[in-house]
Amino acid sequence: MKKFMKIIYVAGARPNFIKIASILRACKKVPDIGSLLVHTGQHYTKNMSKTFFEELDIPTPDVNLEVGSGSHAHQTAEIMKRFELVVLKHDCDAVMVVGDVNSTVACALVAAKLGIKVIHVEAGLRSYDRTMPEEINRILTDAISDVLFVTEPSGLDNLKRQGIDGTKVHFVGNVMIDTLEHYREKATNSPILDELNLRAKQYVVITLHRPNNVDQHEALIRILDALAEIQKEIKIVFPIHPRTVKRLVSDGLMGRLKYLPNMLTTKPFGYLDFLRLMSESRLVITDSGGIQEETTILGVPCLTVRENTERPITITEGTNILVGTDINRILSAYRESLNTTKPTTRPQLWDGKASERIVQILLNSL
Ligand code: UD1
Ligand code: UDP
């Protein structure tokens, strides 16, 4: 029987770094699993990449594919070409991919075609909205994965519906929450509130980056109009994602934001500052996947400016409410969540130990 497993871990974009941090920490504790960390370079600016490696104690990647930005086909193909060379050079038993970004599907496909096992962490999530590039990535990655680690029960149902063999599927909880629990206390030392002159519970945090919101001019305008109203009542902090910066500039909307007196626009924050900001905020408005989950654990109300979510447990058990992009709907949900507290429970297995369960299952498979 084989006693050692070598895994190539793939991370390419901001949420991947946050997920892989906990998995690598758990794997490091066991001598039977060897690792090679590959950064695809999908995200590359310091505040979208290096900062997370530093703050979350992620080892320097063994390989950086440096693919950078491009169209979906260009970026996915470029990752595949470069990643194939890495897999061919470094003998390995499995490739682990996390989440639903282009790096995830590209590297999974390379491994599957080379006959190497694919491990997918955060499998089974579905928005059932194929206009989301991530939905395509999720369906394809799950279809070719050999081991699928699921964060919430809906994932089990979705994989069953897709005809995935149940023996490959393991409900382990949420590695993004492992990272949150690990760094939660450290984040309380972040000086970000003082630096930005903010008082706890007296500001709202907003993040936006989904193409359906930021690359569609009308949707972007509707969201900005809602924010313009909200900032009349409470300060808003808006760390702007690079995709959104690009769009605000090209659509001539940056000036409009800067004119709002109670709107503080910033560059993306590091993990610890952002965790502190979310924790102390009155409310979060977002279209991020990960932030819907984090606010559920932090007990902070979350208005998601989308019509659907692939993370339904954040609604049924957490603080999340879908509000779409209609200005009146956003404003009434904002007012309602200031006055009411949604009853919540911690989703099953979101206990900070998902990575340990993953490692145990991998060890048992040796
Ligand atoms: C990607 C993921 C998305 C994930 C998000 C997390 C895909 C299809 N999308 O979206 O699922 O939620 O990351 O943040 O994989 N840019 C920079 N610096 C960077 C990276 C990007 O300036 O470090 C700019 C470039 O102009 C680029 C644009 O942002 O064209 C979009 O980047 P890209 O990685 O294509 O998609 P994201 O919107 O970041
Ligand atoms: N995040 C961060 N700084 C920011 C905004 C977000 O550290 O300025 C973190 C956030 O706490 C979460 C992750 O980035 O852990 C979410 O990533 P993103 O929204 O880019 O991607 P998604 O989860 O939607 O795929």
Side-chain angles (χ1 to χ4, degrees):
M1 200 210 295
K2 199 164 180 190
K3 285 274 172 5
F4 186 78
M5 179 187 265
K6 183 167 171 193
I7 300 178
I8 297 183
Y9 300 87
V10 175
R14 176 168 69 185
N16 290 175
F17 309 140
I18 294 156
K19 290 163 197 168
I20 208 83
S22 290
I23 299 170
L24 289 175
R25 191 175 322 104
C27 284
K28 212 168 74 179
K29 292 185 193 152
V30 293
D32 300 341
I33 299 181
S35 67
L36 186 93
L37 176 59
V38 175
H39 186 328
T40 65
Q42 177 173 348
H43 283 176
Y44 44 87
T45 36
K46 186 169 189 295
N47 57 22
M48 295 297 287
S49 175
K50 192 161 187 254
T51 303
F52 295 89
F53 283 77
E54 290 168 356
E55 288 192 0
L56 305 179
D57 306 308
I58 308 171
T60 305
D62 299 287
V63 181
N64 191 325
L65 304 179
E66 296 182 342
V67 293
S69 305
S71 69
H72 286 280
H74 176 90
Q75 188 175 60
T76 308
E78 215 38 62
I79 296 170
M80 287 183 69
K81 276 160 62 183
R82 298 180 194 196
F83 186 63
E84 184 179 50
L85 298 177
V86 176
V87 180
L88 289 173
K89 183 170 168 196
H90 299 271
D91 195 28
C92 73
D93 300 296
V95 167
M96 182 185 283
V97 295
V98 297
D100 55 14
V101 302
N102 285 346
S103 302
T104 310
V105 68
C107 295
L109 193 48
V110 168
K113 292 266 184 167
L114 290 173
I116 290 167
K117 281 195 165 35
V118 178
I119 305 168
H120 186 203
V121 176
E122 204 184 83
L125 295 180
R126 295 290 183 274
S127 64
Y128 291 94
D129 172 3
R130 290 201 185 189
T131 66
M132 278 185 93
E134 296 81 4
E135 183 73 354
I136 311 285
N137 295 344
R138 293 179 198 122
I139 294 167
L140 296 181
T141 305
D142 287 341
I144 55 173
S145 289
D146 299 281
V147 187
L148 298 94
F149 291 117
V150 171
T151 54
E152 60 165 89
S154 73
L156 298 173
D157 298 338
N158 294 329
L159 292 175
K160 199 169 173 189
R161 203 170 302 157
Q162 199 180 329
I164 308 277
D165 174 1
T167 59
K168 299 177 180 176
V169 179
H170 306 270
F171 175 33
V172 290
N174 192 326
V175 296
M176 193 162 228
I177 301 307
D178 290 5
T179 303
L180 183 147
E181 293 297 357
H182 190 81
Y183 287 98
R184 204 168 172 170
E185 198 177 325
K186 191 169 183 193
T188 61
N189 297 323
S190 154
I192 195 68
L193 265 65
D194 291 340
E195 283 174 20
L196 299 180
N197 204 11
L198 295 170
R199 306 243 300 265
K201 304 296 167 204
Q202 295 188 20
Y203 63 93
V204 165
V205 174
I206 161 107
T207 80
L208 281 183
H209 73 279
R210 296 256 96 86
N212 278 347
N213 285 337
V214 305
D215 294 345
Q216 308 230 9
H217 187 75
E218 294 310 318
L220 185 56
I221 294 276
R222 287 197 297 276
I223 296 170
L224 295 184
D225 284 348
L227 297 180
E229 285 304 308
I230 291 171
Q231 64 86 47
K232 289 178 184 164
E233 297 172 17
I234 189 166
K235 204 171 238 183
I236 300 182
V237 185
F238 185 4
I240 315 182
H241 188 281
R243 171 185 290 277
T244 313
V245 169
K246 201 160 85 174
R247 206 61 202 204
L248 288 167
V249 170
S250 70
D251 288 11
L253 294 169
M254 203 55 119
R256 187 160 157 171
L257 265 184
K258 303 243 179 220
Y259 268 115
L260 300 174
N262 242 351
M263 167 75 74
L264 182 60
T265 56
T266 70
K267 293 195 156 60
F269 291 105
Y271 185 77
L272 297 171
D273 284 345
F274 191 70
L275 181 50
R276 172 102 207 274
L277 267 179
M278 274 194 298
S279 309
E280 302 286 1
S281 68
R282 182 73 192 78
L283 176 88
V284 171
I285 302 175
T286 193
D287 58 12
S288 158
I291 293 173
Q292 294 172 60
E293 299 179 334
E294 291 167 337
T295 46
T296 274
I297 295 303
L298 296 171
V300 171
C302 176
L303 304 186
T304 296
V305 280
R306 289 174 47 188
E307 296 296 346
N308 52 55
T309 178
E310 60 290 334
R311 294 159 158 93
I313 204 161
T314 61
I315 297 177
T316 52
E317 298 194 18
T319 58
N320 192 16
I321 300 172
L322 294 181
V323 298
T325 60
D326 175 74
I327 174 163
N328 292 324
R329 209 168 134 205
I330 297 173
L331 290 177
S332 66
Y334 155 71
R335 299 224 162 84
E336 201 179 324
S337 51
L338 291 187
N339 297 320
T340 52
T341 309
K342 197 170 172 258
T344 61
T345 49
R346 183 182 279 261
Q348 191 188 357
L349 301 184
W350 289 22
D351 56 0
K353 295 187 174 137
S355 304
E356 287 171 28
R357 284 189 277 271
I358 288 173
V359 168
Q360 199 50 56
I361 290 166
L362 294 177
L363 286 176
N364 291 345
S365 76
L366 277 176

